[in-house]
Amino acid sequence: MEKHIENFLNKVSLVLITIATITLLYLYLHTPETCIPPNTPITKPHLKFPSSTCDPSLNRPYIDPDKKRLKLWSSKSWLSQVSSFITFFQSSNILNNKTKVLCVSAGAGHEVMALKNMGVSDVTGVEIVDSLPLVKRADPNNLPFFDGVFDLAFSAHLVEALFPLRFAGEMERTVRNGGVCMVVVEECGGEEVDAIAGLFRKSMFVGAENVTLIGMRMTRIIMRVGVSSSL
């Protein structure tokens, strides 16, 4: 009896294996060439379904990173923003070619390029995500620099920081005594300026003025590091 059952199971297994093999062969020999139903008019031939991961249609043209950057840097939008930053920095009257500048949360690096185009040779830009060669990766809340190594720290993104007090403190820490922390925020005045200046606990408020930057009305706030804001 047991021998009979064993033979039966072997036959069932053989049948299942045969069915599976036939199914695989069918799928292999009838791989669909398109994601579109057969009777649908083909208006977009580029939607061809790849037959394998080695299908040449999956290969995308290689774009040289240097050429990609040059294309970005020569765009009208980029040049316009860089020009706006140049005007912004020149009007501050606190920079010269030897000023060591740190740009915190520098994004794609518009302000870094603007400073370099002005002749400032020592400019460092940092952001959570790098944008080489203008901006390196670093946490604005934990800057990888020694104390007092810069003459000026600048940011246009203080109000967007998750920890603004820590953000401002790191800017102060990396700037030498007598140096400057400069931020630009959406146009504001009075109590709002005082609140922002109060984040820089080791600095003295120098001044605030309304400016235009990349087509927006904003307020520039300047702090002198090394002098308590309470003095």
Side-chain angles (χ1 to χ4, degrees):
M1 183 67 179
E2 291 182 358
K3 185 67 174 179
H4 176 71
I5 294 175
E6 183 179 348
N7 289 335
F8 174 76
L9 292 176
N10 288 337
K11 290 179 181 180
V12 171
S13 299
L14 182 60
V15 170
L16 292 176
I17 291 172
T18 302
I19 293 173
T21 302
I22 294 172
T23 302
L24 289 174
L25 285 172
Y26 177 82
L27 292 175
Y28 177 77
L29 295 173
H30 294 80
T31 302
E33 295 184 355
T34 177
C35 300
I36 304 173
N39 56 350
T40 301
I42 303 299
T43 57
K44 296 183 178 181
H46 63 281
L47 294 178
K48 186 176 180 180
F49 191 81
S51 58
S52 73
T53 55
C54 298
D55 193 318
S57 65
L58 293 178
N59 296 332
R60 297 177 180 176
Y62 171 76
I63 301 177
D64 185 278
D66 291 334
K67 290 183 179 180
K68 187 176 181 180
R69 282 193 293 268
L70 290 175
K71 183 178 180 180
L72 171 64
W73 294 347
S74 61
S75 67
K76 183 177 180 180
S77 174
W78 179 276
L79 294 174
S80 175
Q81 292 188 53
V82 169
S83 176
S84 182
F85 270 107
I86 289 176
T87 301
F88 169 81
F89 285 123
Q90 288 176 335
S91 66
S92 68
N93 297 316
I94 57 174
L95 284 161
N96 59 59
N97 291 356
K98 295 183 179 180
T99 304
K100 296 181 66 175
V101 183
L102 172 65
C103 297
V104 185
S105 288
H110 297 90
E111 56 265 62
V112 177
M113 181 173 283
L115 289 164
K116 288 182 178 291
N117 289 353
M118 290 169 57
V120 181
S121 58
D122 195 337
V123 185
T124 301
V126 295
E127 179 60 275
I128 289 292
V129 178
D130 61 23
S131 184
L132 299 174
L134 296 175
V135 181
K136 300 177 182 178
R137 183 173 62 183
D139 182 359
N141 299 298
N142 187 24
L143 294 171
F145 306 109
F146 291 115
D147 297 355
V149 294
F150 296 100
D151 301 310
L152 167 68
F154 167 77
S155 182
H157 299 283
L158 171 63
V159 295
E160 301 164 21
L162 291 176
F163 309 102
L165 185 61
R166 176 70 177 174
F167 189 104
E170 281 293 275
M171 289 180 66
E172 282 182 311
R173 181 185 65 77
T174 58
V175 173
R176 63 172 175 81
N177 285 341
V180 169
C181 285
M182 179 168 62
V183 297
V184 61
V185 298
E186 187 175 337
E187 188 174 54
C188 62
E191 293 182 357
E192 292 172 311
V193 170
D194 291 341
I196 293 171
L199 297 173
F200 296 87
R201 296 183 173 181
K202 298 179 181 179
S203 304
M204 180 181 67
F205 176 71
V206 174
E209 62 177 327
N210 293 333
V211 297
T212 299
L213 181 62
I214 56 176
M216 297 184 292
R217 293 294 298 169
M218 307 188 81
T219 298
R220 174 169 53 208
I221 301 172
I222 298 177
M223 307 294 299
R224 182 73 63 181
V225 177
V227 183
S228 173
S229 59
S230 63
L231 296 180

